């Protein structure tokens, strides 16, 4: 195994000191290995050293401007920093470079949601689900977007799929309860709110909604 391979393996196993040693050696011996900089940047992110991590990602892009992994890493940093438009640009560049997995489409969708562009987010969440039908987060966010756009039947179907994968998903129960309220299904709403609270005892929104439903019944 090369120093790079050893470094990546150590990083995946959580052996950060060992990973740092191997990746440092790799960068010293092969200073044009852009992926070594990306992985060292990821290591620094696990240590919450965002500023230094960005320098390594930028160095990777300086060596190879078309490196999708580096664009994804930079996009993640921008996203965490609340710079959603910049993050979206990097994630979309990943797609242009051929990255075709559920994570990158999910992140583009999240950027759209955080920019208040729910309708634009839909096709990205949809694509994420097509690539990974068991992607809970994509299914949930897709359902939320549909609900916000008042496409309630479609939203219900997506949120119910979330529950088939994770019956304890309290936020899916809560939002299904809200949809049932809109459809005047008081019993259905009550059941979902109770389930949300059962699985998350401090779910304040579900507690409030349950009180509203119970007041309607009394």
């Amino acid at each position: 195994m090369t120093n790079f391979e050893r470094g990546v393996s150590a990083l995946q196993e959580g052996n950060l000191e060992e990973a740092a040693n191997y990746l440092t050696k790799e960068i010293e011996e092969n200073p044009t290995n852009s992926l070594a900089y990306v992985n060292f940047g990821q290591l620094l992110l696990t240590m919450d050293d965002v500023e230094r991590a960005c320098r390594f990602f930028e160095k990777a892009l300086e060596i190879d401007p078309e490196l999708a992994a580096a664009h994804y890493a930079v996009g993640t940093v921008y996203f965490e920093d609340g710079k959603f438009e910049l993050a979206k640009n990097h994630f979309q560049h990943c797609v242009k470079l051929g990255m075709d997995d559920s994570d990158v489409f999910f992140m583009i969708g999240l950027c759209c949601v955080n920019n208040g562009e729910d309708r634009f987010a839909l096709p990205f969440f949809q694509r994420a689900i097509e690539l990974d039908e068991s992607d809970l987060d994509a299914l949930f966010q897709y359902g939320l977007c549909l609900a916000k756009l008042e496409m309630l039947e479609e939203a219900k179907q997506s949120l119910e799929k979330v529950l088939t994968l994770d019956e304890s998903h309290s936020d899916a129960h809560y939002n299904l309860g809200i949809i049932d309220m809109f459809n005047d299904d008081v019993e259905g709403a009550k059941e979902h709110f109770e389930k949300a609270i059962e699985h998350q005892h401090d779910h304040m929104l579900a507690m409030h909604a349950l009180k509203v439903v119970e007041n309607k019944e009394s």
Side-chain angles (χ1 to χ4, degrees), residues 118-163:
D118 295 312
R119 191 171 295 280
F120 292 114
L122 287 179
F124 296 109
F125 289 139
Q126 205 166 15
R127 180 60 181 153
I129 294 163
E130 284 172 4
L131 291 166
D132 182 0
E133 293 180 358
S134 64
D135 189 332
L136 268 180
D137 292 331
L139 279 165
F140 178 68
Q141 290 295 334
Y142 184 55
L144 273 191
C145 278
L146 289 166
K148 285 191 277 186
L149 294 167
E150 298 183 7
M151 301 166 71
L152 298 186
E153 192 53 43
E154 294 91 336
K156 185 173 181 178
Q157 289 173 12
S158 188
L159 293 169
E160 284 174 344
K161 283 181 186 175
V162 171
L163 293 181

Side-chain angles (χ1 to χ4, degrees), residues 3 7 16-26 28 40 43:
N3 284 323
L16 301 187
E17 187 175 345
E18 189 178 330
N21 288 334
Y22 282 124
L23 290 171
T24 298
K25 286 178 184 175
E26 176 64 24
E28 287 172 353
F40 205 102
L43 185 153

Side-chain angles (χ1 to χ4, degrees), residues 25 47 68 78 86 89 100 109 116 121 150 166 181 191 195:
K25 286 178 184 175
M47 299 164 63
Y78 278 136
L86 286 171
N89 290 341
D100 191 36
E150 298 183 7
D166 179 9
M181 282 182 71
E191 184 179 337
K195 284 280 189 184

Side-chain angles (χ1 to χ4, degrees), residues 76-136:
T76 303
V77 171
Y78 278 136
F79 183 88
E80 294 296 330
D81 200 31
K83 297 172 181 174
F84 303 116
E85 193 60 34
L86 286 171
K88 185 172 75 169
N89 290 341
H90 280 283
F91 292 134
Q92 287 179 318
H93 201 67
C94 290
V95 174
K96 288 178 186 173
L97 293 171
M99 188 179 282
D100 191 36
D101 61 47
S102 60
D103 286 345
V104 70
F105 289 100
F106 174 70
M107 292 306 298
I108 296 170
L110 273 190
C111 289
C112 291
V113 167
N114 281 285
N115 281 333
E117 303 167 334
D118 295 312
R119 191 171 295 280
F120 292 114
L122 287 179
F124 296 109
F125 289 139
Q126 205 166 15
R127 180 60 181 153
I129 294 163
E130 284 172 4
L131 291 166
D132 182 0
E133 293 180 358
S134 64
D135 189 332
L136 268 180

Side-chain angles (χ1 to χ4, degrees), residues 21 52 174 190 213:
N21 288 334
R52 284 182 67 213
Y174 168 72
K190 185 177 177 182
V213 169

